[in-house]
Every structure is written in structure tokens, then in C-alpha cells.
Amino acid sequence: MRLGRIASPDGVAFVSIEGDPDQPDQMTAREIAEHPFGTPEFTGRSWPLADVRLLAPILASKVVCIGKNYADHIAEMGGAAPADPIMFLKPNTAIVGPNVAIQLPPSSTEVHYEGELAVVISRPCKDVKAERAAENILGYTIANDVSARDQQRSDGQWTRAKGHDTFCPVGPWIVTDVDPADLEVRTEVNGEVKQDGRTSQMIHGVGAIIEWVSAVMTLLPGDLILTGTPAGVGPIEHGDTVSITVEGIGTLTNPVVRKGKS
């Protein structure tokens, strides 16, 4: 199932998105009553997908990110592979949906894209063992861990660099039935491929990540966990378009603008 969140003439709603993504004009958004957790109930209303606007597919209480989780990315950044997952947070105010502009802040001159597989949590959970992680996962989506690299270096920690508004594009929807073990993660900037990795290259897999994170903090329904980025990160500039494709999920596209420019 593809779960999404839309703005329609009737308001904002969670939906099941049905049809072939290769034929978007024939896809339908079918309204879910209340929320998508558990067994969704449908209201009976639906819209052609072309007649609504896709929003970020979930409202997260927090965004938990895993750094340095691909060996090739660690090598390009000049670091060493950590024994345990490196965890940091983005504020939920950084989240935007498909086709919403990433805004480059005037305080940074070096902003990078980072294409990632993201996990969506399905229920409150704490101290989850890796082998039972799947019981707590609603599905998977795509995220861009946008990073002000100059601020990351100067601050010595990552909160400001990762936390600007619009620095966490997510979407276009959540897929509930994909196996995350070996999916292609590809990022293009203006149609040119910049990243092309596979989730099988992750140092810490999804189960291990959820065990590590949930040992520290309680995870809530809708929380997002970004699983790290493969090699090939690089700068984005005003006027660029970033598209991240994850095999079995779809493509997340966002334009880039410099704040104060039109």
C-alpha cells in the first residue's frame, strides 16, 4: 500500500494512493478516516491524484537521523567508520513535502543534498530488539537530509547545519510492503546522477538502527528515522532541482531557492 497526505479542495487528509506511478494521470487518492496507523478505514471519498497536492506524507514528532552509515560516504568525508550508529535529530519544522522549495539560508554558502531511505514508525515503542523491528514499522519513504556543510564544520556539532526550515524534504508517499534490505538510492541534480548506492551497503541495517535509537528514546507513531546517505554528496545552488529515487518507493523532487530571491 502507498500511504500519503494530500491537500484537496476539501482540506487535508491521509490517503491511500492507488494506481501505476508510471501513469500518474490515472492514479487515485482514496481518503482514509482519521489516520493511517493500524488497519486504515476509508471514508468513501477519492480524488484523481492530478487534482490534489501531495504533502509530506506524515507528521513526525521528531526526525532521528543516522550519520556515517555508508562506508563510501565516510571515505569521501575523510572519516572513520563508527562502531555504533551516530545519531542526531532534525526538528520537525524542517519537514517539507514534494515539490516544495529547499530554501538556502543567507548564513550558509555551502549547502549539500543527501538522499536517504527513511523509516516511518507505526506505534509507540521503546527498547525494540532488532529482530522485532518490523513490528513497529509503518513503511518506508524518501528523505533529503539537507546540510549546511560550512556550519557543520564551524559549529563542531550538527544541529544548526541540519535544522534549518525546509532542510528535510520527505515523500512522495510511504510504501508499506517494500523490503529495505537492498534498494537502490539514487540522487540527481538537474538530471545528472550524483549518488547511486544501495541500502545493502549500510553499515547498520534498519533493525539495528531501530534497536539503537529506541534504547535511547521512545519512538512515536509517525516518527521518521533517516538511515544515512551513500557517497556522492555535493552542493546545491539557487535554481537547481534535486530528485531522489529509492527503488520500490518512487521519486522525491524539490527545487532549490536562495532566501530572498525569486
Side-chain angles (χ1 to χ4, degrees):
M1 179 180 287
R2 293 185 200 92
L3 299 171
R5 195 167 139 264
I6 63 162
S8 78
D10 300 310
V12 174
F14 286 107
V15 293
S16 171
I17 299 169
E18 301 173 358
D20 184 351
D22 291 332
Q23 297 179 303
D25 291 343
Q26 299 181 27
M27 297 183 77
T28 300
R30 192 175 164 214
E31 187 178 40
I32 294 171
E34 297 185 359
H35 60 73
F37 305 106
T39 302
E41 296 183 3
F42 295 93
T43 66
R45 296 199 301 179
S46 64
W47 303 267
L49 189 61
D51 292 349
V52 300
R53 179 165 59 91
L54 282 170
L55 306 174
I58 203 68
L59 299 170
S61 76
K62 54 186 171 291
V63 182
V64 185
C65 305
I66 303 300
K68 299 184 177 181
N69 201 26
Y70 286 77
D72 55 358
H73 174 56
I74 296 168
E76 74 177 349
M77 300 300 288
D84 296 314
I86 292 178
M87 179 170 54
F88 61 94
L89 297 175
K90 281 179 177 276
N92 57 12
T93 48
I95 296 172
V96 293
N99 303 311
V100 175
I102 299 166
Q103 296 185 22
L104 305 177
S107 59
S108 174
T109 59
E110 188 183 355
V111 176
H112 285 198
Y113 56 83
E114 294 189 11
E116 309 198 8
L117 174 73
V119 183
V120 185
I121 297 298
S122 63
R123 62 185 186 182
C125 58
K126 180 76 169 73
D127 296 323
V128 177
K129 296 301 181 185
E131 59 270 19
R132 303 197 66 173
E135 300 171 18
N136 302 280
I137 296 173
L138 177 65
Y140 300 87
T141 187
I142 304 167
N144 189 347
D145 176 19
V146 182
S147 306
R149 203 67 78 198
D150 50 352
Q151 295 176 357
Q152 191 175 358
R153 287 192 300 267
S154 66
D155 291 0
Q157 50 81 22
W158 301 355
T159 302
R160 181 169 68 126
K162 302 279 192 173
H164 290 278
D165 290 353
T166 75
F167 270 28
C168 190
V170 179
W173 41 63
I174 299 162
V175 175
T176 62
D177 55 357
V178 68
D179 182 347
D182 186 27
L183 303 175
E184 183 185 29
V185 179
R186 187 177 73 251
T187 302
E188 298 180 7
V189 178
N190 303 327
E192 181 181 352
V193 176
K194 300 292 188 177
Q195 293 181 286
D196 194 2
R198 302 197 69 86
T199 56
S200 56
Q201 298 168 330
M202 290 195 299
I203 296 169
H204 306 286
V206 168
I209 289 170
I210 290 178
E211 179 172 334
W212 182 258
V213 173
S214 67
V216 176
M217 65 188 75
T218 299
L219 295 168
L220 300 176
D223 281 353
L224 287 164
I225 301 177
L226 277 55
T227 59
T229 195
V233 300
I236 46 177
E237 303 289 347
H238 176 80
D240 286 345
T241 298
V242 184
S243 294
I244 303 165
T245 300
V246 175
E247 182 181 359
I249 298 178
T251 299
L252 169 67
T253 297
N254 297 89
V256 180
V257 299
R258 174 68 63 180
K259 273 188 176 180
K261 290 188 178 182
S262 57

